[in-house]
Amino acid sequence: MNNSVLKKNLGITTAISIVVGCVIGSGIFFKPQAIYSATHGAPGLGLIAWIITGIVSICGALTFAEIAIMFPRTGGIVTYLKEAFGETIGFLAGWIQVLVFYPAMISALAVAFSNQLSLFLKTDQYIIVIAIGCIIILAGMNSLGSKPAGRLQIIFTVSKLIPIVLLIIFGFIKGQNDAPLFSPMIGKDINTVVVLGQLMVSVLFAFEGWTGVGAIAGELKNPGKDLPRAIIGGVSIIMAIYLIINIAYLKVIPASSLAFLKAPAAAVAIKLFGNIGGKIIAVGIMISVFGACNGFLMSGSRVAFAMAQEETLPFSSYLSKLNKDKVPFYSIFLVALIGIIYSISGQFNLLTDLAVFSSWLFYTLTFIAVIKLRKDKSFIKREYKVPFYPIIPLIAVISGLFVVINQLFLSGIRSTVLSFASLGVLLLGYLYYKHFN
């Protein structure tokens, strides 16, 4: 039934928890290794990358909030780009989110969850099976209704902060590494601009997910008030947490050592608390990743639902239906099924690289849309306007272009292949839309 209406039963606490819950997943626990290996063990540029990328994300969030509050309807970026650039661009944004971005993020997080659980099982033979099981369980939970899923998200968000807080507190108290935090800035014989681009791509994965709350705007009790607060407040909290915990890491283990550790958070915990600390952090990481996976599944299924309501996706008559608990049952399981297929690869980094490029293509277009709509639809009343216009939107646009170009041409063969594969999916979507719509 295409006239189905989602219940408006999500408040500001759930909205912020979805932003924080989606973003704080696995990046903060795994990305320090990639960052400090790229700087050849130098801490300075690594910390600066967290700061710069945090500022970029806040500029993006400030910009994003304006268009999100103008059109507070379920669907997020799909809705915004339709208003700014027309039906085709809006459709392609939803197409890439449903087929690539959300399933890639869900599968990557499920694989990360499985990798952590394998430490307790003392075998990695069941990584793919566990990842698939994780997605199936979350799909079942989400089918019970948005309110239970939202409450579950709050629990995961609170739970995941516990190990982070412990690492921060005891890292500062017991850390004995007094080496300078910003010296050396970068290793020898490294191009600073190129490496900074690589670092930003890595860190942006750790910040990924802050737009997810826009996709559930239609279920917020008071979107005009709660949506900008959720986006801006959530990203600001995340930036502070990331910077502080990275300093705590460096107070325990130097960057030159973190560069060679695949599980830096667990290594820091072991040094602080002994072997039991590593297990505690592993449990915390699993909770964190599980919660992030839940947030992406909630948001991604709403994008599929919104598109199906407009009958632009295959099998829209099913995908637009709500079950007795007023949630898009078929859309949830579509996104989950694609995520299951992706998780068969078992490749965390490959899946995250795929997700980052596909998302920032349309984030950048969304930032441009804010500027375009200021001219084209100046008559629309704006309950919120991005401050310091047009400086902040331009920072967001330039940063987005930098990320896209870096992924296409400067980050190595794998990133280039994955990026052009995403463009291939976009081309298929364009051909489908023109033929069937």
Side-chain angles (χ1 to χ4, degrees):
M1 295 177 58
N2 290 345
N3 62 348
S4 301
V5 179
L6 294 163
K7 286 186 176 180
K8 290 181 173 291
N9 55 12
L10 301 182
I12 182 62
T13 303
T14 298
I16 289 179
S17 74
I18 289 173
V19 176
V20 177
C22 280
V23 174
I24 301 180
S26 55
I28 189 60
F29 300 113
F30 294 109
K31 285 302 180 181
Q33 185 270 338
I35 289 168
Y36 296 121
S37 63
T39 64
H40 289 195
L45 193 62
L47 283 179
I48 289 176
W50 286 100
I51 297 172
I52 291 176
T53 308
I55 293 172
V56 166
S57 296
I58 289 177
C59 288
L62 287 166
T63 305
F64 181 86
E66 177 172 319
I67 197 169
I69 202 59
M70 285 175 66
F71 311 106
R73 302 192 295 271
T74 292
I77 288 176
V78 175
T79 298
Y80 316 148
L81 293 182
K82 281 183 180 179
E83 293 288 345
F85 299 110
E87 296 291 328
T88 301
I89 298 298
F91 168 80
L92 291 176
W95 175 270
I96 205 72
Q97 286 187 0
V98 172
L99 294 184
V100 180
F101 171 67
Y102 281 109
M105 289 299 295
I106 290 165
S107 58
L109 292 165
V111 169
F113 175 88
S114 184
N115 283 329
Q116 288 299 305
L117 185 58
S118 67
L119 297 176
F120 291 91
L121 300 177
K122 297 182 179 179
T123 178
D124 57 1
Q125 294 181 356
Y126 307 107
I127 286 178
I128 295 175
V129 174
I130 294 170
I132 292 173
C134 173
I135 297 174
I136 291 174
I137 290 171
L138 285 174
M141 290 179 175
N142 274 269
S143 69
L144 299 176
S146 62
K147 196 165 186 178
R151 287 173 176 172
L152 183 67
Q153 192 63 40
I154 294 173
I155 293 171
F156 284 139
T157 301
V158 172
S159 298
K160 76 173 60 178
L161 293 177
I162 294 174
I164 291 175
V165 169
L166 290 175
L167 283 173
I168 290 173
I169 292 174
F170 286 94
F172 278 90
I173 293 175
K174 299 180 66 175
Q176 298 179 349
N177 178 30
D178 295 324
L181 293 173
F182 292 93
S183 179
M185 183 63 65
I186 194 170
K188 295 181 179 179
D189 302 322
I190 297 179
N191 186 308
T192 303
V193 175
V194 172
V195 171
L196 180 59
Q198 295 172 350
L199 296 180
M200 285 186 65
V201 171
S202 293
V203 176
L204 280 171
F205 165 71
F207 276 93
E208 189 61 70
W210 50 264
T211 61
V213 72
I216 60 157
E219 292 166 270
L220 292 176
K221 296 175 183 176
N222 189 354
K225 181 179 179 182
D226 292 345
L227 193 57
R229 288 168 59 192
I231 296 173
I232 299 167
V235 176
S236 299
I237 291 170
I238 293 156
M239 179 184 176
I241 290 172
Y242 281 178
L243 181 59
I244 293 170
I245 197 171
N246 271 276
I247 293 174
Y249 286 164
L250 292 173
K251 283 191 167 294
V252 178
I253 299 177
S256 56
S257 297
L258 289 173
F260 298 98
L261 298 173
K262 292 183 178 181
V268 170
I270 290 172
K271 195 152 187 176
L272 289 173
F273 309 116
N275 288 330
I276 190 65
K279 293 183 179 180
I280 292 173
I281 291 301
V283 171
I285 291 173
M286 289 195 307
I287 294 173
S288 177
V289 171
F290 199 73
C293 195
N294 179 67
F296 279 107
L297 182 55
M298 280 187 71
S299 298
S301 61
R302 272 55 178 186
V303 174
F305 170 77
M307 294 183 70
Q309 282 193 310
E310 298 180 357
E311 300 182 348
T312 56
L313 286 179
F315 310 108
S316 288
S317 60
Y318 289 98
L319 297 175
S320 60
K321 290 181 179 179
L322 301 178
N323 65 8
K324 62 183 179 64
D325 295 305
K326 293 295 182 180
V327 293
F329 175 84
Y330 290 104
S331 291
I332 289 170
F333 279 91
L334 170 67
V335 176
L337 178 60
I338 301 173
I340 287 171
I341 294 171
Y342 285 4
S343 69
I344 294 173
S345 70
Q347 299 295 314
F348 173 77
N349 288 320
L350 181 146
L351 293 167
T352 58
D353 288 349
L354 180 64
V356 167
F357 178 80
S358 65
S359 65
W360 274 85
L361 272 176
F362 289 98
Y363 290 171
T364 306
L365 277 178
T366 305
F367 303 149
I368 295 172
V370 171
I371 298 173
K372 185 174 186 295
L373 289 174
R374 281 287 185 104
K375 297 180 179 179
D376 296 350
K377 297 188 177 183
S378 58
F379 56 88
I380 294 180
K381 182 181 178 181
R382 288 163 170 79
E383 297 180 50
Y384 163 85
K385 289 185 177 182
V386 57
F388 305 110
Y389 182 90
I391 296 174
I392 287 179
L394 286 175
I395 292 174
V397 170
I398 293 169
S399 301
L401 291 173
F402 179 70
V403 169
V404 170
I405 293 170
N406 187 283
Q407 285 286 84
L408 276 171
F409 304 111
L410 302 176
S411 294
I413 294 296
R414 188 182 70 174
S415 291
T416 298
V417 170
L418 288 174
S419 298
F420 276 99
S422 291
L423 295 179
V425 174
L426 276 178
L427 177 60
L428 289 176
Y430 177 80
L431 295 175
Y432 168 83
Y433 184 79
K434 290 301 180 181
H435 185 72
F436 292 102
N437 293 280

